[in-house]
Amino acid sequence: MMRLWLGVFCFLFLHIGAHAFAILPGDSLNHQEITEQAILNATVQTCRALAVAEGVNFNFPAQPYTAENVAAACGASQSLKTFSQAIKSITLRNIRVDIRYFFNSSYHVDEEMFVQGKGIITEGIAAVKASNRMENYETARQILGEIMHPLQDFYSHSNWVEMGKTVPNSNLIRAESSIGNIADESRATCRSCDGDDCTNNILEDIIEEQILTSGYFGIVPIVSTKPPGKCSHGGGIDQTSKIEPKGGINKDSFKSEHGHLHTQAANVAIAATSQLLEDVRLAAGERPFLEMVGIARGSSRALCFVTDTSKSMSDDIAVVKTVTSSIIERYKGTENEPSLYILVPFSDPGFGPLIRTSDANLFKNIVDSLTTTGGGDKEEMSLSGLQLALTSAPFSSEIFLFTDAPAKDEQLKNTVIALIERTQTVVNFMVTDTVETNRRKRRSINQSQARAINEPEAQLYRDLAHASGGQAIEVTKAQLPVAAAIIAQSASSSVVTLLQASRSPGQTDSFTFIVDQTVTNLRVYITGKSVTFTLTSPTGASQQSTDSSGSLINNLQQVGNFITAQLQKQVGKWKMEMVSTNPYTLRVIGQSSVDFLFDFVVPSEGPFGGFDTLDTRPRAGVTGRLLVSITGSDSATVNEVALVESSAGSEEITGAVASQGDGDYLVQFDMMPEVEFSVRVKGRVQGSSNDFQRQSSTNFRASNLTLTADSENILIPGTPVSVPFTVSWTGSDGNVTIRASNNKGFDLTSPSMLFLKGGNSTNGTVTLSAPTNTPSGSDVILTIEAETPDGTDSNYIVLRFSILNSNGDFSHPDCELLNLQSNCPENCSKSTWKLDVRVTDGDNGAGVDRVSLIQGNGTYNTSLEAGTGNITLVSYTASCCAPEMELLVIDRVGNVGSCLFSARDSVSISVSQSLSLCLSIVALGYLLLN
């Protein structure tokens, strides 16, 4: 009899499943917990598979899995913040479905919308795989979270569990397969419950014949209805459950009508989510999958340069080359080695292309090959280049922009600020040849006027740096190498901000910050003219910036308008008194694993309550809320969250903090400020004798304008998508200015102005279209801005679309056994066996992308069959002591299959059989102890 060897990737899931998804009695699981558990387990499985492939040991983290112990087990503690952020992004997108698509039955697989729900899932899977292929991981995360919702709801809202099913319906994630027999619209599926007892309200023939059904749902008493004899979803607000047959079948919680099956439904939903993640992992590969969930080899931060390549920039580009080489050599092989390198050149009239790679040597060669050209006029496309970088860099990145010219595209200022706020990215401007630096060089007026940046032009860069929490460093070309070398020291994934502030106009002011035990490499960054300061340590010792012999400052450097000081570490509260009549910025940073994530949230208007994350600025002058999460410590607690005024003064608004468990806190503020602010968090790590303090680098604004928009997040090339939006505000009547732009320059139409009656709202529509030749997996970022009639207030919304070229290929590649030579004696050590296999993707398939060996220790070679473009030949030779082998076969759109062969048989297991077995093992592993 043929022995079925399921391969290393199936075994790993089985191993992890043996560590369990135990649900304590009385504790209902929700979408967030189901999603988090599946992601953590999939990440452990992926890191284990990678360790096996690289021949290194892997130690499973202790149960229960947390982001912290999983990142540590993966050898990626430096990626903890981005890992946590990725998990949060996916789970919040999942939860959002209940808010944004509350009445869309397809997203909840209600009303027997099985085909439609599966369509959402399978189209989304194709988009996720395409996005991963193009390394657009944030887009992949957003879509992945959305499609997990109907996948999980299938097990709670349908009768799958009632039919005795204990493993997931794998066909939900396979576009070409049937999910089973669905009840006809006219077929009765339920009887009324026996009072409060609904355990047997699904008709016996439906169960016996294995017919799929799900409940109808409606909340409006008069219009809520359902076909005769159909089941209802159930619950207090479901009006259809009051119509014969009465009651419901959902298993959302232990209190639901079928709550006795909640545990089984939740466990199968976790297993199904794990199957989905496994399918995505196999299509992407281990490293890309880990990047999708925010785990990178080395630092999780990107090294991102946006540089002017006009003729006058030859000296500056030489510095970019030097800094790039220095960072690569300094951090190579360490946990601070950048995982991603991004370069965006710009001049006039062009900008780009964006270059993105994880290969340090390739990036160094690309930077070394930069040349200067053109630059005949004064202004360059600096903000267009920055916009492209902001839409491509990972969340919470740091960007360095080099230029000696003003911006020609200053109309993009608000768009750039919107992207800075949404991505929480720090932007540092390295600006040479401003009028001020030329004045310091004592150039003649004629020399300095040719290209020098004047004060209003320089202020644009200062404003953008301030919004991001970065520095606008103004130096001469001769000083640039020193300034760049200093600022590049912040290229670490564990950099945290302890304090950031600015004063414009300048004034004498005092600031305090707390240094905790986890902080190292304490630094102060200051920009401004004629700035002095006095530093006081927790012990009471003080040192002035003019004193070079003190004990608090290890190293003080000043170049141009930039001052940096490295401080002697002392745990406790520090004080810094700044003295200047000129505008200045102040930032205190260090390195620590303890940090925080946050999102602005608003209460859902849906009947189930909850909170939805904002894609816009929060509303000013009313109650506001933040969802705060601590990263880097499972034992850290938050005791204060404040919104701190950024520029003019030291006012702050402290919120009411309520723990949500698992390191999450909901913070409510009585009134959102009208002025620019940053977010500051204070707390304590268990066992520590001192509080920690962290502050957002990004400065934010609330707005009296409210802007909402929503759209499908998949864009088909050549097919325009309409994005309806609504603007409202409480001001007087007037024309609101509308601006819409996208980072790819795709065709769009948008109103430029809308009349808005005070206290009311008005609607508009943006239409966006991608060219027909846009590669599948590309993404496009649409920013819609609204500005008040007097220009004093604005708001925005940022929407991300995945480009999907649907070629109708949903079938995995096939394997055809061409030749098998096997004559293995009892003494297997002296003999070998061989086989030849043809892997094809069908006549209309996208083509075979890759074939890899996932079981077997023999040697294999692949080649393209002569005269074909999508047929791969595989030859394999192994010892008779290893008589089984398995191939993983993936096509160019991410359809995944596997083929098993044995020296003991002349038959093979087909691709679909093998993959089905593996996915079943994936599910079984998660269900063993439940």
Side-chain angles (χ1 to χ4, degrees), residues 797-868:
I797 190 163
V798 178
L799 302 173
R800 185 181 293 265
F801 298 85
S802 176
I803 311 299
L804 183 62
N805 273 308
S806 180
N807 63 358
D809 181 8
F810 300 109
S811 300
H812 47 65
D814 288 318
C815 296
E816 178 188 355
L817 181 63
L818 300 178
N819 178 49
L820 174 64
Q821 298 179 21
S822 171
N823 187 19
C824 292
E826 291 187 7
N827 185 359
C828 62
S829 61
K830 296 182 179 181
S831 301
T832 61
W833 67 287
K834 301 178 181 180
L835 62 77
D836 296 295
V837 175
R838 177 189 285 122
V839 182
T840 65
D841 196 34
D843 294 337
N844 299 316
V848 177
D849 180 60
R850 66 184 188 273
V851 177
S852 57
L853 183 68
I854 57 174
Q855 181 183 327
N857 56 10
T859 59
Y860 82 106
N861 295 293
T862 62
S863 61
L864 284 177
E865 186 173 74
T868 69

Side-chain angles (χ1 to χ4, degrees), residues 36 60 69 85 135 165 188 207 400 474 525 531 621 633 654 661 692 701 715 815:
E36 287 177 352
F60 284 94
N69 68 19
Q85 190 275 331
E135 300 182 359
K165 306 293 188 181
I207 302 298
F400 301 91
E474 301 167 38
Y525 289 157
V531 180
S633 174
T654 302
F692 65 83
R701 285 188 179 275
L715 183 60
C815 296

Side-chain angles (χ1 to χ4, degrees), residues 203-214:
L203 299 179
E204 288 80 4
D205 61 310
I206 297 296
I207 302 298
E208 291 169 2
E209 296 176 34
Q210 300 285 283
I211 304 296
L212 279 170
T213 186
S214 62

Side-chain angles (χ1 to χ4, degrees), residues 331-509:
Y331 295 123
K332 184 182 294 183
T334 73
E335 66 176 16
N336 286 319
E337 181 178 0
S339 60
L340 182 64
Y341 300 87
I342 294 175
L343 175 68
V344 182
F346 67 88
S347 57
D348 179 38
F351 62 94
L354 179 137
I355 299 166
R356 176 185 174 123
T357 179
S358 58
D359 188 325
N361 292 326
L362 174 61
F363 186 73
K364 183 176 180 296
N365 292 336
I366 291 170
V367 172
D368 286 344
S369 67
L370 280 175
T371 58
T372 58
T373 183
D377 57 0
K378 180 181 178 181
E379 300 169 328
E380 309 295 346
M381 303 290 283
S382 54
L383 299 196
S384 296
L386 180 55
Q387 178 189 22
L388 189 56
L390 284 166
T391 55
S392 302
F395 178 85
S396 194
S397 291
E398 190 156 12
I399 294 173
F400 301 91
L401 188 148
F402 294 80
T403 189
D404 64 354
K408 188 171 188 174
D409 44 8
E410 60 182 333
Q411 76 277 3
L412 289 175
K413 178 182 178 181
N414 287 341
T415 299
V416 167
I417 289 176
L419 292 171
I420 285 171
E421 290 184 11
R422 294 311 307 154
T423 62
Q424 297 182 31
T425 294
V426 175
V427 183
N428 298 295
F429 292 84
M430 315 297 288
V431 185
T432 55
D433 276 353
T434 64
V435 168
E436 180 61 29
T437 58
N438 282 327
R439 187 179 297 119
R440 289 197 293 267
K441 289 190 296 181
R442 300 180 182 275
R443 282 187 176 183
S444 70
I445 291 179
N446 289 337
Q447 286 177 306
S448 64
Q449 289 302 314
R451 188 173 165 89
I453 304 173
N454 62 36
E455 188 65 19
E457 294 166 339
Q459 189 60 43
L460 171 63
Y461 293 143
R462 295 176 195 140
D463 290 345
L464 295 175
H466 165 73
S468 75
Q471 283 77 42
I473 299 172
E474 301 167 38
V475 292
T476 66
K477 290 186 179 292
Q479 294 169 328
L480 181 60
V482 178
I486 294 171
I487 199 69
Q489 294 173 355
S490 66
S492 168
S493 60
S494 57
V495 168
V496 295
T497 300
L498 307 185
L499 169 70
Q500 71 113 339
S502 66
R503 292 295 180 262
S504 181
Q507 63 187 60
T508 298
D509 212 338

Side-chain angles (χ1 to χ4, degrees), residues 637-641 654-655 657 665 681-685 691-692:
T637 56
V638 171
N639 52 45
E640 180 185 290
V641 179
T654 302
V657 180
Y665 298 84
V681 172
K682 293 182 180 180
R684 181 166 294 195
V685 176
D691 285 350
F692 65 83

